């Protein structure tokens, strides 16, 4: 699969001086992973800081019981079978698949294209769901319509370009499920790496760089929140924007140390050798104290 010509443009993610951008990234050090494995881990970096996970290791500093509880609560994963199925759904486009169906319809309404109106679209989706199952529903349509028409994303990114997919939102969560499932005892180490490497290969096929990958993460996170809690969608967009800003700008970020899509067999180009974590995690780029620990409602999301 080649990189889609419909990739989003590069653009800034403006944030306040006091935000999740201040959160330090944790590096274990010790050359515990290969360059190719590091490349795969970087795809899930959106969730490493907020969940206090190492950027360069499969290890998670939680007990197996805690990992099982987190997976069951946030993902409905309770064993090896459900873990594999969840990873498979993410790789196939768990949320992007529905987004890809409703996005052109919503875009046509937003642009006031002739022959398109929300009621007709909802009728079509209701009939489609009845005969083909809930691959794309009226709820998916309404969530995206609200995101597009209620200026939910405006504080973070402009609406001048809207993507046809949000694959990075799905691919960016594979690593969390895989690593937590390993800690829970559901997946072996040998089983984890092919899953992570598959997510990395897919990310490279859809996106040219981390900024474009981040664009999909912000929109995907916002769309996901609109599906569940529309009142919190704007806050989700802001938080996601702050998080990717840190990934794109902090010198200790895996996205700043490694680029997406090096031509040498998919292995990233090392920009700065990772250093093991020390007691002093204050970045020279900011004097804001980083939030400590996962925030409520953020585990795995």
């Amino acid at each position: 699969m080649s990189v889609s010509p419909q990739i989003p443009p590069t653009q800034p993610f403006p944030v306040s001086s006091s935000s999740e951008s201040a959160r330090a990234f944790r590096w274990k050090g010790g050359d515990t992973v290969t360059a190719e494995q590091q490349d795969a881990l970087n795809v899930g970096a959106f969730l490493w800081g907020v969940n206090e996970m190492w950027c360069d290791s499969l290890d998670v500093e939680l007990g197996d019981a805690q990992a099982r509880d987190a997976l069951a609560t946030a993902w409905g994963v309770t064993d090896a079978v459900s873990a594999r199925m969840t990873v498979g759904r993410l790789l196939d486009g768990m949320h992007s698949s529905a987004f890809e169906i409703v996005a052109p319809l919503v875009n046509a309404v937003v642009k006031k294209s002739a022959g398109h109106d929300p009621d007709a679209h909802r009728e079509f989706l209701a009939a489609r769901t009845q005969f083909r199952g809930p691959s794309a529903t009226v709820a998916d349509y309404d969530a995206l319509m609200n995101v597009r028409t209620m200026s939910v994303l405006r504080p973070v990114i402009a609406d001048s370009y809207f993507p046809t997919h949000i694959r990075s939102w799905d691919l960016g969560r594979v690593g969390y499920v895989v690593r937590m499932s390993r800690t829970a005892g559901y997946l072996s180490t040998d089983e984890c790496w092919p899953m992570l490497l598959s997510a990395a290969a897919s990310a490279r096929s859809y996106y040219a760089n981390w900024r474009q990958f981040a664009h999909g993460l912000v929109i995907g996170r916002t769309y996901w929140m609109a599906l569940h809690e529309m009142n919190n969608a704007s806050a989700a967009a802001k938080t996601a924007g702050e998080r990717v800003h840190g990934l794109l700008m902090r010198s200790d970020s895996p996205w700043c140390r490694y680029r997406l899509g090096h031509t040498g067999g998919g292995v990233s180009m090392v920009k700065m050798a990772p250093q093991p974590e020390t007691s002093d995690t204050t970045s020279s780029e900011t004097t804001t104290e980083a939030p400590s620990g996962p925030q409520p409602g953020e585990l795995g999301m």
Side-chain angles (χ1 to χ4, degrees), residues 71-89:
L71 285 169
T73 301
W75 290 91
V77 170
T78 56
D79 53 25
V81 173
S82 55
R84 295 181 189 119
M85 289 180 63
T86 299
V87 171
R89 289 178 60 211

Side-chain angles (χ1 to χ4, degrees), residues 204-260:
R204 291 191 297 269
S205 73
Y206 282 108
Y207 300 97
N209 54 54
W210 288 125
R211 190 171 291 277
Q212 292 168 352
F213 188 86
H215 188 274
L217 277 173
V218 173
I219 292 176
R221 167 68 169 160
T222 308
Y223 165 72
W224 179 88
M225 184 58 75
L227 277 168
H228 297 85
E229 300 176 45
M230 184 61 211
N231 291 339
N232 292 323
S234 290
K238 179 177 180 294
T239 300
E242 293 174 349
R243 204 179 296 175
V244 300
H245 181 82
L247 281 161
L248 292 166
M249 301 302 294
R250 287 185 62 95
S251 61
D252 59 340
S253 158
W255 288 5
C256 284
R257 292 178 174 180
Y258 304 87
R259 67 173 181 168
L260 175 67

